Amino acid sequence: MNQVYLLKDIARISGHSIYTIKFYTKLGLVRETSRSPETGFRYFDGSTVTRLQQIRALRKQGKSLAEIQRLLQGS
């Protein structure tokens, strides 16, 4: 079974800020696994950490977010 993380945990593990992860979610670069209807908490799985690592590596190569989105669409 895949591990489930809260937004704050994904931020801590990945080294990205909560704001950045929310922004990437809004752009569709990462996806939340689910959201609690009672609290509104966002839940992510382990694949989000991998995706954030890919995004960071591509940003270090000078890729724009639009380029990254095109590159990762097939992933």
Side-chain angles (χ1 to χ4, degrees):
M1 187 170 156
N2 217 356
Q3 183 73 27
V4 177
Y5 302 97
L6 290 168
L7 176 60
K8 67 178 184 168
D9 298 326
I10 285 290
R12 182 180 43 78
I13 292 166
S14 71
H16 288 83
S17 70
I18 289 173
Y19 172 81
T20 298
I21 297 169
K22 285 181 179 181
F23 183 66
Y24 288 171
T25 302
K26 184 177 178 180
L27 292 178
L29 291 170
V30 295
R31 297 178 196 257
E32 44 187 69
T33 305
S34 62
R35 188 182 288 229
S36 169
E38 295 87 25
T39 62
F41 289 171
R42 301 166 197 237
Y43 297 102
F44 299 88
D45 62 16
S47 67
T48 304
V49 176
T50 304
R51 177 59 68 105
L52 288 168
Q53 290 170 340
Q54 291 173 322
I55 293 168
R56 176 166 278 154
L58 291 167
R59 291 293 287 159
K60 284 184 178 181
Q61 293 174 18
K63 305 277 190 221
S64 71
L65 291 176
E67 290 174 305
I68 292 170
Q69 194 166 27
R70 284 192 298 274
L71 288 168
L72 295 179
Q73 274 181 333
S75 298

